[in-house]
Amino acid sequence: MKKKKFNLEDIPGVGPKLADKLTETGFTDPMSIAVASPGELARILEIGKATAGKIINNVRQMLKMGYTSADKVWEQRKKIGKISTGSQALDELLGGGVETQAITETYGQFGSGKSQIGFQLSVNVQLPPEKGGLNANCLFIDTEATFRPGRISQIATALGLDSNKILKNIYVARAYNSDHEVFLVEKANEIIEDKKIRLLIIDSLTSHFRADYIGRGELAPRQQKLNKLLHHLQRLADSMNLAVFVTNQVLSNPAILFGDPTRPVGGHVLAHQSTYRIYLRKSSGEKRIAKMMDSPNLPPGECIFRITPEGIRDVK
Ligand code: ADP
Ligand code: MG
């Protein structure tokens, strides 16, 4: 098994206890510490801001960083893998599929196809690259009790795959509340490395947060916790070259009289931190409309795909 070359305890000012805390919160990659803000690190580690600032500076010195040359950034980005959704149109909308080193969010009404895309991806990630996969496995965090191995088996069989083998390579955890969800993500490091995971699905990211923080006064702590979770997910995505696929519920805003009143849960926090945001809508029958709402490098656009008994497919 590959072990980390970088020893957190080598950072001046970091003892075994702090090293554990860093590992637990996903700061296993020195670069993730180097690019953290003192405020963020202080909050997460529950230490003073000045101490956090010193640790960050020490790591930056160890990495000899000020700037990274663009070719190094490019080198890292060349490692990005893409997982096919099963629909070429949807893949194209996503710039070639669901990417590693990024968080892809889909939001939409009940039945719009969020979970189905997740199921399809959990199978497709296991395919070889020439078939749209990464020859790797999937970690699936189920918060709504809607994970359906039977459906996944159907999708796998339709591709001519051994469904038992496919199901064995999908590691499922049921999250019972938002704390538990955070806990599962914080514990994901090890299993990601050990089980060759390249896709992490959270279906859905927000349902527990919505249920656990109900009152108006609880909005700020909820957003703070969601923010921390998303930072953690982005760090995992970067350091493990992992695709993070999350689904999100929608709210209907009664104040909007004209136009589409649905909007995603999670507010600005989620809007800023998902790399790609896809809005899903039902069309007639099997058809669904996907719209790219936000992306750093892709044009806005729309496509239609289908949810068939065999899984996600193009419109014929
Ligand atoms: P959500 O966005 O709420 O997660 P889903 O991804 O669960 O929605 O999509 C549910 C829809 O997927 C159903 O309404 C149905 O149209 C379709 N679907 C689910 N299972 C099958 C199946 N076995 N065959 C065909 N279509 C299916
Ligand atoms: Mg669902």
Side-chain angles (χ1 to χ4, degrees), residues 115 144 146 203:
S115 296
E144 298 180 344
T146 53
D203 186 18

Side-chain angles (χ1 to χ4, degrees), residues 125-166:
V125 69
Q126 300 184 44
L127 297 169
E130 64 275 14
K131 295 204 165 141
L134 299 173
N135 265 331
N137 302 327
C138 174
L139 189 60
F140 200 114
I141 299 178
D142 174 26
T143 75
E144 298 180 344
T146 53
F147 181 78
R148 294 290 178 273
R151 174 62 174 144
I152 293 176
S153 166
Q154 192 182 12
I155 291 171
T157 307
L159 290 172
L161 303 167
D162 176 348
S163 62
N164 264 329
K165 250 190 184 156
I166 294 292

Side-chain angles (χ1 to χ4, degrees), residues 106-119 144 146 150-151 154-155 203 247-248 280 282 285-286 288 307-312:
T106 56
Y107 69 89
Q109 299 280 9
F110 174 77
S112 59
K114 307 179 292 293
S115 296
Q116 298 299 317
I117 295 177
F119 295 162
E144 298 180 344
T146 53
R151 174 62 174 144
Q154 192 182 12
I155 291 171
D203 186 18
T247 68
N248 187 12
L280 296 176
K282 284 187 186 175
E286 296 181 323
R288 298 291 185 278
I307 309 174
T308 74
E310 293 76 35
I312 304 297

Side-chain angles (χ1 to χ4, degrees), residues 8 13 31 40 53 58 84 86 108 140 158 199-200 252 300:
L8 290 169
M31 189 57 85
E40 185 200 6
N58 288 340
S84 171
F140 200 114
L199 170 66
L200 167 61
S252 196

